[in-house]
Amino acid sequence: MLATAQIYRHIRSRGSRLLLAAPFLRQAPPSPRRSLSTPAAQAAPQKSLGAFPTEITTLPNGVRVASQDAPGHFVTVGAYVDVGSRYETDETAGFCHMLDRLSYKGTKSFTRDQLLSEIEALGGNFFSQTSREATIYQAAVFRKDLPKAVHLLSEVVTEPVISAEEVEAAKETIQYELLDMQWRLDSSLQEKLQRLAFGGLGRLGDQAHLITAKKDDACATSTLDRELDAIRGVAGVGRSMICTDASLATTSAEAVRAFRSLWYTPDRIVVAGVGMPHQELVDLARASFGALPPATSEVLRQQAALSVPSSYTGGIVLVDTANGPTSPFPDDQNLTHVFIAFEAPSLLDPDVYALATLSTLMGGGGSFSAGGPGKGMYTRLYTQVLNQYHWVERCNMVSFSFLDTGLFGIYAAVPPSRETHEYIVPVLCHHLYEMTQKITPEELSRAKNQLKSNLLMSLESRSVELEDIGRQVMVRPIPALAEGHPPFPASHRVDVAEMCRRVDSLTAEDLLRVARRVVLGDDTASPLEFEQQGDPLHGHPLRHWHRTGAPRPTVLVLGARTGPKDDLWNVRETLRKWRLDGGELAAAASSQGSSKWGVFSGWRS
């Protein structure tokens, strides 16, 4: 598990945080492994680019403590819990989001007001957040206040008071968030894309699913939301990361307490810190978290039963907003949003480095940028799409990576018109296909340098460094996917120096191969190997990814249809012409692709 949490945070910030393949999938013969192991194994504690090592200790009850010392007046410390929305069920949907909103609302030792007073007295920064695969509680305080901060975090994580009154108050807060979020399409549509890709409306078959927004809907995506919420039995990362109106209606304090008791067990908790001696944090963690009773065999059995692998479904969903509601915000542009994405390698697959580099190479952004170093002004999508087609408002890659799968694709937003709808999908298809055919040495060098510099600059922040440590040490494979593999170490971290070395080792062929693997459905396993023999901390055991579903795209279009012959609503046929519909692998040279590109010349600015 590379600090891919960090690599993919970089990708997402740009707009771009092992089930055996089903019998019907084509499997290419295994390719020879290309070993990229470091010559000399490094003894724990592992060294990073700086002078301080990352040290990891496991307490008797299973809580893991990880830290890295650093000079300065401030320290950052956090508790990371291995639970997220992927572990929810239809009955517990939205509970992780609810627990996040119930954070710092009172514990067995502190009332809500007392807890807030204690936090304010420290003058630090406390927060929590949840995702599909983790829940985070984090704080930044003065060095002298570290004992108090650890104690407060332990109270919030292990001894929260979840009352019916607080749950009802949290419901009101979440309902306000949902109202605020519904017109933030840039972020909310990415959430819906993931739900569509892993258990969404793609279950209905290969045909495009048409949705018509209604004038009396609360927002443009209301009808889509209702159809997604109606799907039952979704597993893994296909589950929504946020509460829905339906789940809020059935959420009770008793059920939330039961969910927390099931998942907040010592073996799933990591206490991480940056800026203090390791032994100091170990002693503090032992005092505050060491009394937690280990999970019983029955609890472990229930956790394993609920740790269900994800299943990619894909599919095409077209949402016509022509007769739907308009945004209440006058500054919002009326745009058509187009996503084309594919299942991609998981966090534990060695090709995740090539995928991150490929996403950086493609880049993209908005039609206006302040420019400057590292802003992606020379990436392929910026120079060949945003600089060539004046009508494209936004165009960038999207990339998400999880324990057992991932999602990789392209996004664009254009003003709705017959002409823009006619050409936007062919433009995107061209660049998806070209990504599998040619990468120049200059592009590769620039992408690798940009990715490495962004990693290094991001890790200058102690909060980012802390999250990187906590997430890496916490990660372990889904139980159902671990069979047949060597034991996964309880504690490990790949530091930024090793990440940069792995990025440097990539070739243009690695990027082309992973592009074909994702976009064209070429199921050749990665030949890369990064393990460092004899170093269980620095070299993590890789898990080569296998598809969890058919190799077909996930397409989400949301915009006003311009008429009965709108070409954008014929996206399935366009994908088929470009051989991106999950059919046979595209040929190395596509005469159709070359000639098709010629129709765009009249649309260049």
Side-chain angles (χ1 to χ4, degrees), residues 105-120:
K105 303 299 184 184
T107 70
K108 290 186 176 180
S109 301
F110 299 94
T111 65
R112 175 177 180 170
D113 291 341
Q114 288 172 338
L115 184 61
L116 294 178
S117 178
E118 292 283 343
I119 291 174
E120 289 174 357

Side-chain angles (χ1 to χ4, degrees), residues 169-183:
K171 286 182 180 182
E172 293 182 5
T173 300
I174 292 172
Q175 286 173 335
Y176 174 81
E177 291 177 352
L178 295 178
L179 290 173
D180 181 63
M181 187 188 306
Q182 61 187 6
W183 288 105

Side-chain angles (χ1 to χ4, degrees), residues 105 107-108 162 179 201 205 256 284 358 526 535:
K105 303 299 184 184
T107 70
K108 290 186 176 180
I162 302 174
L179 290 173
L201 300 173
V256 174
L284 293 172
L358 181 64
S526 172
D535 182 2

